[in-house]
Amino acid sequence: MSELLDTLPCGVVSFADDGLIRYANETIARTLAYTRDELTGRHVETILTIAGRIFYQTHFFPLLRLHGNADEIFLLLRRKDGQEVGALVNGVRRERDGVVINDCVLLEVRERRKYEDELLRAKRVAEAANAELEQQAKQLQEQAAEMEAQREELQTLNEELVEQSEELEQSRNAAEDANRAKSQFLATMSHELRTPLNAIGGYVQLVELGIHGPITDAQRETLGRVMRSQRHLLRLINDLLNLARIEAGHVDYRISPVAVAELVAGVLPMIEPQMAAASLTLSISTPRSVHVQADRDKAEQILINLLTNAMKFTPPGGRVDVDVTLDDNGTCANIRVSDTGIGIRSEKLKSIFEPFVQLQERQTEGTGLGLAISRDLAVGMGGDLRVASELGTGSTFTLVLAVAQPA
Ligand code: ADP
């Protein structure tokens, strides 16, 4: 029987109520690093740690005494070398030969402890992960708050932008209204001024013709001055009226394919005599094949203006060239009027298309409106008017129009 008990995987200890161990099997002796002889006669509390002892006294032993048994009580045992060993203890109280004996079976809980440790470790890992998650959640909350703040900021910005764009829209409308009113005013005034001016011209001609009697040479000269001023004023008013009409969008463009050669040929009769009188050489190079999308009258008006300017600003003996080239992909024609005249300062090149800009001092001829009108007309035909010039060398004005297939 005793041998059998020694082979058990659990310890067996029997002790009397005086606490002295009467029997200990080999297993418990091995577990606690004692010999069996050393254990026998030893007080059972000497194989318990302090905590084990307290538990034994307050719990285990009272249970045994009161109920006769104690099941699965965890006691911390103390090995001979002082190390702790956890054990689950089942105890039964019985009487043998008139002596009360407490038989205990001790199951070492190293395995269980290992699980508990692992559980503890897992719990710690879970707690750490939890703490990390909480930290991340907090960061996320902070980021969300930050994003919300940014969103609000963006919304404010957006509202401001909408407000500004409404204000801009209002200002634009106001400016357009003002511009329309200006154009309307110019159109009305120009019309009102032209009528009496035409009358002045007519009456001066009547006097010049001697309808009211003979006039002296001095009177004729004075009348000539009156006529020149009248014509200048009339041209100015006509130009103003044109510009006002164009800017008010009151001009209709009848766009159709027009041969550039025909356009140029159409204006030559008005230009050639003056060219010859000003001792200028005019050379034309416009292939018959090139056609452009244009309103013929308006394109002619532009060419007359460019050629008149070339004549005005080129000293006798100079040259005026008209030619046409196509751009690289053949969609635009560049009709160029070049002269070898006085040229234009580079810093003035941008402003010459503005109304009333005249670069020469005390310029009596012209109104400073021709280029403004010409550019507006070119743009109105879907084209453009450009300039390149070098002071003292000459200028090139380029009328750009879309190429057309012949009708
Ligand atoms: P204007 O009736 O005075 O000719 P434009 O609008 O046609 O009015 O021209 C504006 C100004 O641009 C001219 O007064 C002149 O100073 C300058 N300009 C125009 N064409 C030429 C040119 N071919 N060479 C030099 N200057 C020019």
Side-chain angles (χ1 to χ4, degrees), residues 239 305-306 309-314 339 341-344 352-354 356-360 363 365-373 389 394-397:
D239 282 355
N305 187 36
L306 297 181
N309 278 350
M311 278 191 301
K312 271 198 295 194
F313 300 107
T314 305
D339 62 56
I342 59 173
I344 300 165
I352 57 164
F353 293 107
E354 303 291 325
F356 302 112
V357 170
Q358 291 186 308
L359 304 182
Q360 282 66 41
Q363 209 171 303
E365 264 188 85
T367 59
L369 288 170
L371 286 179
I373 291 173
S389 185
S395 311
T396 299
F397 284 83

PDB file of all heavy atoms in Angstrom, residues 239 305-306 309-314 339 341-344 352-354 356-360 363 365-373 389 394-397, ligand 1:
ATOM      1  N   ASP A 239     -15.403 108.702 -85.621  1.00  0.00           N
ATOM      2  CA  ASP A 239     -14.645 107.643 -84.962  1.00  0.00           C
ATOM      3  C   ASP A 239     -15.236 107.326 -83.596  1.00  0.00           C
ATOM      4  O   ASP A 239     -15.370 106.168 -83.207  1.00  0.00           O
ATOM      5  CB  ASP A 239     -13.175 108.051 -84.799  1.00  0.00           C
ATOM      6  CG  ASP A 239     -12.418 107.889 -86.119  1.00  0.00           C
ATOM      7  OD1 ASP A 239     -13.033 107.371 -87.073  1.00  0.00           O
ATOM      8  OD2 ASP A 239     -11.243 108.287 -86.182  1.00  0.00           O
ATOM      9  N   ASN A 305      -6.912 101.931 -92.264  1.00  0.00           N
ATOM     10  CA  ASN A 305      -6.347 102.599 -91.095  1.00  0.00           C
ATOM     11  C   ASN A 305      -4.864 102.277 -90.944  1.00  0.00           C
ATOM     12  O   ASN A 305      -4.030 103.159 -90.728  1.00  0.00           O
ATOM     13  CB  ASN A 305      -7.133 102.172 -89.846  1.00  0.00           C
ATOM     14  CG  ASN A 305      -6.696 102.969 -88.648  1.00  0.00           C
ATOM     15  OD1 ASN A 305      -6.390 104.152 -88.767  1.00  0.00           O
ATOM     16  ND2 ASN A 305      -6.640 102.321 -87.505  1.00  0.00           N
ATOM     17  N   LEU A 306      -4.508 100.974 -91.111  1.00  0.00           N
ATOM     18  CA  LEU A 306      -3.102 100.589 -90.952  1.00  0.00           C
ATOM     19  C   LEU A 306      -2.241 101.227 -92.030  1.00  0.00           C
ATOM     20  O   LEU A 306      -1.141 101.723 -91.765  1.00  0.00           O
ATOM     21  CB  LEU A 306      -2.962  99.056 -91.006  1.00  0.00           C
ATOM     22  CG  LEU A 306      -3.668  98.272 -89.895  1.00  0.00           C
ATOM     23  CD1 LEU A 306      -3.410  96.775 -90.061  1.00  0.00           C
ATOM     24  CD2 LEU A 306      -3.192  98.732 -88.518  1.00  0.00           C
ATOM     25  N   ASN A 309      -1.852 104.994 -91.423  1.00  0.00           N
ATOM     26  CA  ASN A 309      -0.855 105.218 -90.363  1.00  0.00           C
ATOM     27  C   ASN A 309       0.558 105.018 -90.911  1.00  0.00           C
ATOM     28  O   ASN A 309       1.464 105.804 -90.635  1.00  0.00           O
ATOM     29  CB  ASN A 309      -1.074 104.243 -89.202  1.00  0.00           C
ATOM     30  CG  ASN A 309      -2.157 104.735 -88.261  1.00  0.00           C
ATOM     31  OD1 ASN A 309      -2.607 105.872 -88.363  1.00  0.00           O
ATOM     32  ND2 ASN A 309      -2.595 103.874 -87.358  1.00  0.00           N
ATOM     33  N   ALA A 310       0.755 103.910 -91.676  1.00  0.00           N
ATOM     34  CA  ALA A 310       2.086 103.628 -92.227  1.00  0.00           C
ATOM     35  C   ALA A 310       2.570 104.818 -93.052  1.00  0.00           C
ATOM     36  O   ALA A 310       3.728 105.231 -92.978  1.00  0.00           O
ATOM     37  CB  ALA A 310       2.041 102.353 -93.067  1.00  0.00           C
ATOM     38  N   MET A 311       1.632 105.395 -93.824  1.00  0.00           N
ATOM     39  CA  MET A 311       2.008 106.566 -94.649  1.00  0.00           C
ATOM     40  C   MET A 311       2.335 107.763 -93.772  1.00  0.00           C
ATOM     41  O   MET A 311       3.306 108.475 -94.000  1.00  0.00           O
ATOM     42  CB  MET A 311       0.828 106.945 -95.564  1.00  0.00           C
ATOM     43  CG  MET A 311       0.756 106.111 -96.804  1.00  0.00           C
ATOM     44  SD  MET A 311      -0.414 106.797 -97.962  1.00  0.00           S
ATOM     45  CE  MET A 311      -1.929 106.805 -97.075  1.00  0.00           C
ATOM     46  N   LYS A 312       1.496 107.968 -92.741  1.00  0.00           N
ATOM     47  CA  LYS A 312       1.656 109.153 -91.887  1.00  0.00           C
ATOM     48  C   LYS A 312       2.983 109.135 -91.150  1.00  0.00           C
ATOM     49  O   LYS A 312       3.599 110.165 -90.938  1.00  0.00           O
ATOM     50  CB  LYS A 312       0.526 109.182 -90.836  1.00  0.00           C
ATOM     51  CG  LYS A 312      -0.714 109.913 -91.289  1.00  0.00           C
ATOM     52  CD  LYS A 312      -1.611 110.294 -90.130  1.00  0.00           C
ATOM     53  CE  LYS A 312      -2.191 109.100 -89.417  1.00  0.00           C
ATOM     54  NZ  LYS A 312      -3.306 109.437 -88.513  1.00  0.00           N
ATOM     55  N   PHE A 313       3.407 107.901 -90.725  1.00  0.00           N
ATOM     56  CA  PHE A 313       4.557 107.835 -89.834  1.00  0.00           C
ATOM     57  C   PHE A 313       5.810 107.309 -90.532  1.00  0.00           C
ATOM     58  O   PHE A 313       6.733 106.838 -89.886  1.00  0.00           O
ATOM     59  CB  PHE A 313       4.216 106.987 -88.598  1.00  0.00           C
ATOM     60  CG  PHE A 313       3.060 107.569 -87.828  1.00  0.00           C
ATOM     61  CD1 PHE A 313       1.800 106.963 -87.844  1.00  0.00           C
ATOM     62  CD2 PHE A 313       3.222 108.761 -87.117  1.00  0.00           C
ATOM     63  CE1 PHE A 313       0.740 107.506 -87.154  1.00  0.00           C
ATOM     64  CE2 PHE A 313       2.147 109.313 -86.428  1.00  0.00           C
ATOM     65  CZ  PHE A 313       0.891 108.689 -86.440  1.00  0.00           C
ATOM     66  N   THR A 314       5.819 107.381 -91.909  1.00  0.00           N
ATOM     67  CA  THR A 314       7.028 106.974 -92.638  1.00  0.00           C
ATOM     68  C   THR A 314       7.505 108.169 -93.472  1.00  0.00           C
ATOM     69  O   THR A 314       6.740 108.711 -94.275  1.00  0.00           O
ATOM     70  CB  THR A 314       6.737 105.779 -93.563  1.00  0.00           C
ATOM     71  OG1 THR A 314       6.176 104.736 -92.769  1.00  0.00           O
ATOM     72  CG2 THR A 314       7.988 105.261 -94.246  1.00  0.00           C
ATOM     73  N   ASP A 339       6.157  99.022 -92.258  1.00  0.00           N
ATOM     74  CA  ASP A 339       6.722 100.263 -92.826  1.00  0.00           C
ATOM     75  C   ASP A 339       8.143 100.439 -92.339  1.00  0.00           C
ATOM     76  O   ASP A 339       8.585  99.756 -91.409  1.00  0.00           O
ATOM     77  CB  ASP A 339       5.839 101.463 -92.462  1.00  0.00           C
ATOM     78  CG  ASP A 339       5.756 101.689 -90.969  1.00  0.00           C
ATOM     79  OD1 ASP A 339       6.817 101.838 -90.330  1.00  0.00           O
ATOM     80  OD2 ASP A 339       4.615 101.702 -90.423  1.00  0.00           O
ATOM     81  N   GLY A 341       9.172 103.288 -91.148  1.00  0.00           N
ATOM     82  CA  GLY A 341       8.971 104.622 -90.577  1.00  0.00           C
ATOM     83  C   GLY A 341       9.643 104.864 -89.243  1.00  0.00           C
ATOM     84  O   GLY A 341      10.616 104.195 -88.888  1.00  0.00           O
ATOM     85  N   ILE A 342       9.042 105.769 -88.466  1.00  0.00           N
ATOM     86  CA  ILE A 342       9.710 106.254 -87.243  1.00  0.00           C
ATOM     87  C   ILE A 342       9.692 105.221 -86.111  1.00  0.00           C
ATOM     88  O   ILE A 342      10.462 105.320 -85.170  1.00  0.00           O
ATOM     89  CB  ILE A 342       9.035 107.562 -86.748  1.00  0.00           C
ATOM     90  CG1 ILE A 342       7.553 107.318 -86.445  1.00  0.00           C
ATOM     91  CG2 ILE A 342       9.223 108.684 -87.755  1.00  0.00           C
ATOM     92  CD1 ILE A 342       6.863 108.520 -85.802  1.00  0.00           C
ATOM     93  N   GLY A 343       8.789 104.233 -86.192  1.00  0.00           N
ATOM     94  CA  GLY A 343       8.746 103.189 -85.157  1.00  0.00           C
ATOM     95  C   GLY A 343       8.094 103.671 -83.854  1.00  0.00           C
ATOM     96  O   GLY A 343       7.740 104.844 -83.712  1.00  0.00           O
ATOM     97  N   ILE A 344       7.970 102.743 -82.948  1.00  0.00           N
ATOM     98  CA  ILE A 344       7.287 103.040 -81.675  1.00  0.00           C
ATOM     99  C   ILE A 344       8.139 102.514 -80.534  1.00  0.00           C
ATOM    100  O   ILE A 344       8.704 101.415 -80.614  1.00  0.00           O
ATOM    101  CB  ILE A 344       5.901 102.329 -81.643  1.00  0.00           C
ATOM    102  CG1 ILE A 344       5.031 102.819 -82.805  1.00  0.00           C
ATOM    103  CG2 ILE A 344       5.185 102.551 -80.312  1.00  0.00           C
ATOM    104  CD1 ILE A 344       3.831 101.936 -83.072  1.00  0.00           C
ATOM    105  N   ILE A 352      -0.882 101.737 -77.421  1.00  0.00           N
ATOM    106  CA  ILE A 352      -1.363 102.384 -78.646  1.00  0.00           C
ATOM    107  C   ILE A 352      -2.727 101.871 -79.106  1.00  0.00           C
ATOM    108  O   ILE A 352      -3.368 102.497 -79.936  1.00  0.00           O
ATOM    109  CB  ILE A 352      -0.365 102.279 -79.836  1.00  0.00           C
ATOM    110  CG1 ILE A 352      -0.052 100.834 -80.120  1.00  0.00           C
ATOM    111  CG2 ILE A 352       0.866 103.101 -79.617  1.00  0.00           C
ATOM    112  CD1 ILE A 352       0.592 100.690 -81.479  1.00  0.00           C
ATOM    113  N   PHE A 353      -3.172 100.748 -78.534  1.00  0.00           N
ATOM    114  CA  PHE A 353      -4.510 100.277 -78.896  1.00  0.00           C
ATOM    115  C   PHE A 353      -5.595 100.883 -78.002  1.00  0.00           C
ATOM    116  O   PHE A 353      -6.768 100.595 -78.173  1.00  0.00           O
ATOM    117  CB  PHE A 353      -4.573  98.740 -78.828  1.00  0.00           C
ATOM    118  CG  PHE A 353      -3.726  98.079 -79.869  1.00  0.00           C
ATOM    119  CD1 PHE A 353      -2.544  97.448 -79.545  1.00  0.00           C
ATOM    120  CD2 PHE A 353      -4.116  98.105 -81.212  1.00  0.00           C
ATOM    121  CE1 PHE A 353      -1.761  96.850 -80.526  1.00  0.00           C
ATOM    122  CE2 PHE A 353      -3.338  97.495 -82.199  1.00  0.00           C
ATOM    123  CZ  PHE A 353      -2.159  96.880 -81.853  1.00  0.00           C
ATOM    124  N   GLU A 354      -5.150 101.690 -77.005  1.00  0.00           N
ATOM    125  CA  GLU A 354      -6.136 102.366 -76.148  1.00  0.00           C
ATOM    126  C   GLU A 354      -6.673 103.586 -76.906  1.00  0.00           C
ATOM    127  O   GLU A 354      -5.945 104.214 -77.682  1.00  0.00           O
ATOM    128  CB  GLU A 354      -5.475 102.875 -74.858  1.00  0.00           C
ATOM    129  CG  GLU A 354      -4.792 101.807 -74.039  1.00  0.00           C
ATOM    130  CD  GLU A 354      -5.787 100.859 -73.411  1.00  0.00           C
ATOM    131  OE1 GLU A 354      -6.874 101.331 -73.040  1.00  0.00           O
ATOM    132  OE2 GLU A 354      -5.482  99.655 -73.334  1.00  0.00           O
ATOM    133  N   PHE A 356      -7.618 107.303 -77.897  1.00  0.00           N
ATOM    134  CA  PHE A 356      -7.030 108.654 -77.734  1.00  0.00           C
ATOM    135  C   PHE A 356      -5.535 108.653 -77.450  1.00  0.00           C
ATOM    136  O   PHE A 356      -4.995 109.643 -77.005  1.00  0.00           O
ATOM    137  CB  PHE A 356      -7.744 109.446 -76.613  1.00  0.00           C
ATOM    138  CG  PHE A 356      -9.221 109.599 -76.869  1.00  0.00           C
ATOM    139  CD1 PHE A 356     -10.145 108.970 -76.066  1.00  0.00           C
ATOM    140  CD2 PHE A 356      -9.674 110.359 -77.940  1.00  0.00           C
ATOM    141  CE1 PHE A 356     -11.492 109.088 -76.298  1.00  0.00           C
ATOM    142  CE2 PHE A 356     -11.034 110.485 -78.189  1.00  0.00           C
ATOM    143  CZ  PHE A 356     -11.946 109.836 -77.376  1.00  0.00           C
ATOM    144  N   VAL A 357      -4.872 107.518 -77.676  1.00  0.00           N
ATOM    145  CA  VAL A 357      -3.415 107.515 -77.453  1.00  0.00           C
ATOM    146  C   VAL A 357      -2.738 107.940 -78.746  1.00  0.00           C
ATOM    147  O   VAL A 357      -2.935 107.341 -79.801  1.00  0.00           O
ATOM    148  CB  VAL A 357      -2.910 106.123 -77.008  1.00  0.00           C
ATOM    149  CG1 VAL A 357      -1.388 106.071 -77.018  1.00  0.00           C
ATOM    150  CG2 VAL A 357      -3.440 105.811 -75.615  1.00  0.00           C
ATOM    151  N   GLN A 358      -1.964 109.042 -78.649  1.00  0.00           N
ATOM    152  CA  GLN A 358      -1.152 109.498 -79.788  1.00  0.00           C
ATOM    153  C   GLN A 358       0.241 109.749 -79.243  1.00  0.00           C
ATOM    154  O   GLN A 358       0.397 110.406 -78.219  1.00  0.00           O
ATOM    155  CB  GLN A 358      -1.737 110.796 -80.368  1.00  0.00           C
ATOM    156  CG  GLN A 358      -3.080 110.559 -81.061  1.00  0.00           C
ATOM    157  CD  GLN A 358      -3.587 111.802 -81.753  1.00  0.00           C
ATOM    158  OE1 GLN A 358      -3.665 112.860 -81.135  1.00  0.00           O
ATOM    159  NE2 GLN A 358      -3.936 111.666 -83.016  1.00  0.00           N
ATOM    160  N   LEU A 359       1.232 109.177 -79.911  1.00  0.00           N
ATOM    161  CA  LEU A 359       2.573 109.242 -79.333  1.00  0.00           C
ATOM    162  C   LEU A 359       3.325 110.515 -79.706  1.00  0.00           C
ATOM    163  O   LEU A 359       4.190 110.959 -78.971  1.00  0.00           O
ATOM    164  CB  LEU A 359       3.386 108.016 -79.774  1.00  0.00           C
ATOM    165  CG  LEU A 359       2.732 106.661 -79.421  1.00  0.00           C
ATOM    166  CD1 LEU A 359       3.627 105.518 -79.840  1.00  0.00           C
ATOM    167  CD2 LEU A 359       2.440 106.581 -77.930  1.00  0.00           C
ATOM    168  N   GLN A 360       2.994 111.103 -80.870  1.00  0.00           N
ATOM    169  CA  GLN A 360       3.727 112.293 -81.297  1.00  0.00           C
ATOM    170  C   GLN A 360       3.115 113.544 -80.653  1.00  0.00           C
ATOM    171  O   GLN A 360       1.900 113.645 -80.529  1.00  0.00           O
ATOM    172  CB  GLN A 360       3.696 112.450 -82.824  1.00  0.00           C
ATOM    173  CG  GLN A 360       4.670 111.536 -83.534  1.00  0.00           C
ATOM    174  CD  GLN A 360       4.309 110.077 -83.368  1.00  0.00           C
ATOM    175  OE1 GLN A 360       3.146 109.723 -83.428  1.00  0.00           O
ATOM    176  NE2 GLN A 360       5.307 109.235 -83.136  1.00  0.00           N
ATOM    177  N   GLN A 363       0.235 116.470 -82.405  1.00  0.00           N
ATOM    178  CA  GLN A 363      -0.212 115.734 -83.588  1.00  0.00           C
ATOM    179  C   GLN A 363      -1.579 116.285 -83.988  1.00  0.00           C
ATOM    180  O   GLN A 363      -2.524 116.174 -83.229  1.00  0.00           O
ATOM    181  CB  GLN A 363      -0.320 114.255 -83.243  1.00  0.00           C
ATOM    182  CG  GLN A 363      -0.086 113.350 -84.410  1.00  0.00           C
ATOM    183  CD  GLN A 363       0.001 111.925 -83.941  1.00  0.00           C
ATOM    184  OE1 GLN A 363       0.830 111.598 -83.094  1.00  0.00           O
ATOM    185  NE2 GLN A 363      -0.858 111.090 -84.447  1.00  0.00           N
ATOM    186  N   GLU A 365      -3.074 115.788 -87.123  1.00  0.00           N
ATOM    187  CA  GLU A 365      -3.827 114.807 -87.912  1.00  0.00           C
ATOM    188  C   GLU A 365      -4.236 113.635 -87.043  1.00  0.00           C
ATOM    189  O   GLU A 365      -3.539 113.285 -86.102  1.00  0.00           O
ATOM    190  CB  GLU A 365      -2.915 114.266 -89.017  1.00  0.00           C
ATOM    191  CG  GLU A 365      -3.100 114.970 -90.331  1.00  0.00           C
ATOM    192  CD  GLU A 365      -2.314 114.251 -91.392  1.00  0.00           C
ATOM    193  OE1 GLU A 365      -2.851 113.291 -91.950  1.00  0.00           O
ATOM    194  OE2 GLU A 365      -1.166 114.656 -91.638  1.00  0.00           O
ATOM    195  N   GLY A 366      -5.355 113.027 -87.361  1.00  0.00           N
ATOM    196  CA  GLY A 366      -5.753 111.799 -86.647  1.00  0.00           C
ATOM    197  C   GLY A 366      -6.454 112.106 -85.337  1.00  0.00           C
ATOM    198  O   GLY A 366      -6.439 113.236 -84.842  1.00  0.00           O
ATOM    199  N   THR A 367      -7.060 111.054 -84.801  1.00  0.00           N
ATOM    200  CA  THR A 367      -7.867 111.224 -83.591  1.00  0.00           C
ATOM    201  C   THR A 367      -7.392 110.343 -82.438  1.00  0.00           C
ATOM    202  O   THR A 367      -7.871 110.464 -81.327  1.00  0.00           O
ATOM    203  CB  THR A 367      -9.328 110.820 -83.889  1.00  0.00           C
ATOM    204  OG1 THR A 367      -9.326 109.460 -84.333  1.00  0.00           O
ATOM    205  CG2 THR A 367      -9.944 111.694 -84.954  1.00  0.00           C
ATOM    206  N   GLY A 368      -6.484 109.430 -82.726  1.00  0.00           N
ATOM    207  CA  GLY A 368      -6.042 108.502 -81.670  1.00  0.00           C
ATOM    208  C   GLY A 368      -7.068 107.408 -81.414  1.00  0.00           C
ATOM    209  O   GLY A 368      -6.993 106.702 -80.410  1.00  0.00           O
ATOM    210  N   LEU A 369      -8.026 107.273 -82.346  1.00  0.00           N
ATOM    211  CA  LEU A 369      -9.055 106.249 -82.153  1.00  0.00           C
ATOM    212  C   LEU A 369      -8.941 105.097 -83.157  1.00  0.00           C
ATOM    213  O   LEU A 369      -9.521 104.038 -82.962  1.00  0.00           O
ATOM    214  CB  LEU A 369     -10.451 106.875 -82.295  1.00  0.00           C
ATOM    215  CG  LEU A 369     -10.858 107.785 -81.129  1.00  0.00           C
ATOM    216  CD1 LEU A 369     -12.129 108.541 -81.477  1.00  0.00           C
ATOM    217  CD2 LEU A 369     -11.059 106.980 -79.867  1.00  0.00           C
ATOM    218  N   GLY A 370      -8.172 105.342 -84.235  1.00  0.00           N
ATOM    219  CA  GLY A 370      -8.122 104.373 -85.329  1.00  0.00           C
ATOM    220  C   GLY A 370      -7.705 102.976 -84.892  1.00  0.00           C
ATOM    221  O   GLY A 370      -8.359 101.984 -85.230  1.00  0.00           O
ATOM    222  N   LEU A 371      -6.629 102.867 -84.117  1.00  0.00           N
ATOM    223  CA  LEU A 371      -6.149 101.536 -83.725  1.00  0.00           C
ATOM    224  C   LEU A 371      -7.094 100.866 -82.725  1.00  0.00           C
ATOM    225  O   LEU A 371      -7.279  99.651 -82.766  1.00  0.00           O
ATOM    226  CB  LEU A 371      -4.731 101.630 -83.138  1.00  0.00           C
ATOM    227  CG  LEU A 371      -3.620 101.872 -84.153  1.00  0.00           C
ATOM    228  CD1 LEU A 371      -2.258 101.966 -83.458  1.00  0.00           C
ATOM    229  CD2 LEU A 371      -3.576 100.773 -85.212  1.00  0.00           C
ATOM    230  N   ALA A 372      -7.701 101.700 -81.828  1.00  0.00           N
ATOM    231  CA  ALA A 372      -8.664 101.124 -80.868  1.00  0.00           C
ATOM    232  C   ALA A 372      -9.830 100.514 -81.631  1.00  0.00           C
ATOM    233  O   ALA A 372     -10.251  99.383 -81.356  1.00  0.00           O
ATOM    234  CB  ALA A 372      -9.154 102.202 -79.904  1.00  0.00           C
ATOM    235  N   ILE A 373     -10.324 101.263 -82.610  1.00  0.00           N
ATOM    236  CA  ILE A 373     -11.450 100.756 -83.413  1.00  0.00           C
ATOM    237  C   ILE A 373     -11.024  99.512 -84.191  1.00  0.00           C
ATOM    238  O   ILE A 373     -11.726  98.500 -84.215  1.00  0.00           O
ATOM    239  CB  ILE A 373     -11.950 101.853 -84.390  1.00  0.00           C
ATOM    240  CG1 ILE A 373     -12.614 102.976 -83.599  1.00  0.00           C
ATOM    241  CG2 ILE A 373     -12.908 101.274 -85.422  1.00  0.00           C
ATOM    242  CD1 ILE A 373     -12.995 104.188 -84.431  1.00  0.00           C
ATOM    243  N   SER A 389       7.448  96.621 -83.275  1.00  0.00           N
ATOM    244  CA  SER A 389       8.041  97.849 -83.800  1.00  0.00           C
ATOM    245  C   SER A 389       9.397  98.096 -83.161  1.00  0.00           C
ATOM    246  O   SER A 389       9.677  97.612 -82.074  1.00  0.00           O
ATOM    247  CB  SER A 389       7.114  99.033 -83.513  1.00  0.00           C
ATOM    248  OG  SER A 389       7.634 100.181 -84.113  1.00  0.00           O
ATOM    249  N   GLY A 394      11.063 101.005 -87.935  1.00  0.00           N
ATOM    250  CA  GLY A 394       9.783 100.755 -88.593  1.00  0.00           C
ATOM    251  C   GLY A 394       8.855  99.929 -87.736  1.00  0.00           C
ATOM    252  O   GLY A 394       9.232  99.472 -86.650  1.00  0.00           O
ATOM    253  N   SER A 395       7.632  99.775 -88.236  1.00  0.00           N
ATOM    254  CA  SER A 395       6.613  99.047 -87.471  1.00  0.00           C
ATOM    255  C   SER A 395       5.943  98.015 -88.364  1.00  0.00           C
ATOM    256  O   SER A 395       5.864  98.186 -89.578  1.00  0.00           O
ATOM    257  CB  SER A 395       5.517  99.997 -86.979  1.00  0.00           C
ATOM    258  OG  SER A 395       6.085 101.120 -86.371  1.00  0.00           O
ATOM    259  N   THR A 396       5.463  96.935 -87.724  1.00  0.00           N
ATOM    260  CA  THR A 396       4.664  95.947 -88.445  1.00  0.00           C
ATOM    261  C   THR A 396       3.377  95.711 -87.670  1.00  0.00           C
ATOM    262  O   THR A 396       3.420  95.324 -86.500  1.00  0.00           O
ATOM    263  CB  THR A 396       5.420  94.621 -88.576  1.00  0.00           C
ATOM    264  OG1 THR A 396       6.628  94.868 -89.308  1.00  0.00           O
ATOM    265  CG2 THR A 396       4.591  93.592 -89.327  1.00  0.00           C
ATOM    266  N   PHE A 397       2.260  96.001 -88.308  1.00  0.00           N
ATOM    267  CA  PHE A 397       0.958  95.694 -87.701  1.00  0.00           C
ATOM    268  C   PHE A 397       0.427  94.433 -88.390  1.00  0.00           C
ATOM    269  O   PHE A 397       0.489  94.322 -89.615  1.00  0.00           O
ATOM    270  CB  PHE A 397      -0.019  96.855 -87.891  1.00  0.00           C
ATOM    271  CG  PHE A 397       0.288  97.998 -86.952  1.00  0.00           C
ATOM    272  CD1 PHE A 397       1.267  98.944 -87.272  1.00  0.00           C
ATOM    273  CD2 PHE A 397      -0.385  98.139 -85.751  1.00  0.00           C
ATOM    274  CE1 PHE A 397       1.570  99.978 -86.413  1.00  0.00           C
ATOM    275  CE2 PHE A 397      -0.089  99.177 -84.879  1.00  0.00           C
ATOM    276  CZ  PHE A 397       0.890 100.097 -85.207  1.00  0.00           C
TER     277      PHE A 397
HETATM  278  P1  ADP B   1      -4.245 108.261 -85.138  1.00  0.00           P
HETATM  279  O1  ADP B   1      -5.540 108.772 -85.626  1.00  0.00           O
HETATM  280  O2  ADP B   1      -3.506 109.203 -84.217  1.00  0.00           O
HETATM  281  O3  ADP B   1      -3.389 107.675 -86.191  1.00  0.00           O
HETATM  282  P2  ADP B   1      -4.331 105.597 -84.227  1.00  0.00           P
HETATM  283  O4  ADP B   1      -5.123 104.965 -83.141  1.00  0.00           O
HETATM  284  O5  ADP B   1      -4.493 105.050 -85.596  1.00  0.00           O
HETATM  285  O6  ADP B   1      -4.655 107.098 -84.150  1.00  0.00           O
HETATM  286  O7  ADP B   1      -2.815 105.519 -83.802  1.00  0.00           O
HETATM  287  C1  ADP B   1      -2.451 105.842 -82.483  1.00  0.00           C
HETATM  288  C2  ADP B   1      -1.001 106.280 -82.421  1.00  0.00           C
HETATM  289  O8  ADP B   1      -0.143 105.153 -82.636  1.00  0.00           O
HETATM  290  C3  ADP B   1      -0.611 107.247 -83.487  1.00  0.00           C
HETATM  291  O9  ADP B   1      -0.961 108.575 -83.111  1.00  0.00           O
HETATM  292  C4  ADP B   1       0.887 107.057 -83.545  1.00  0.00           C
HETATM  293  O10 ADP B   1       1.511 107.775 -82.491  1.00  0.00           O
HETATM  294  C5  ADP B   1       1.051 105.580 -83.308  1.00  0.00           C
HETATM  295  N1  ADP B   1       1.166 104.835 -84.584  1.00  0.00           N
HETATM  296  C6  ADP B   1       0.175 104.206 -85.242  1.00  0.00           C
HETATM  297  N2  ADP B   1       0.669 103.605 -86.363  1.00  0.00           N
HETATM  298  C7  ADP B   1       1.985 103.871 -86.413  1.00  0.00           C
HETATM  299  C8  ADP B   1       3.049 103.522 -87.310  1.00  0.00           C
HETATM  300  N3  ADP B   1       2.843 102.796 -88.410  1.00  0.00           N
HETATM  301  N4  ADP B   1       4.293 103.994 -87.027  1.00  0.00           N
HETATM  302  C9  ADP B   1       4.519 104.717 -85.921  1.00  0.00           C
HETATM  303  N5  ADP B   1       3.571 105.054 -85.014  1.00  0.00           N
HETATM  304  C10 ADP B   1       2.313 104.647 -85.262  1.00  0.00           C
END
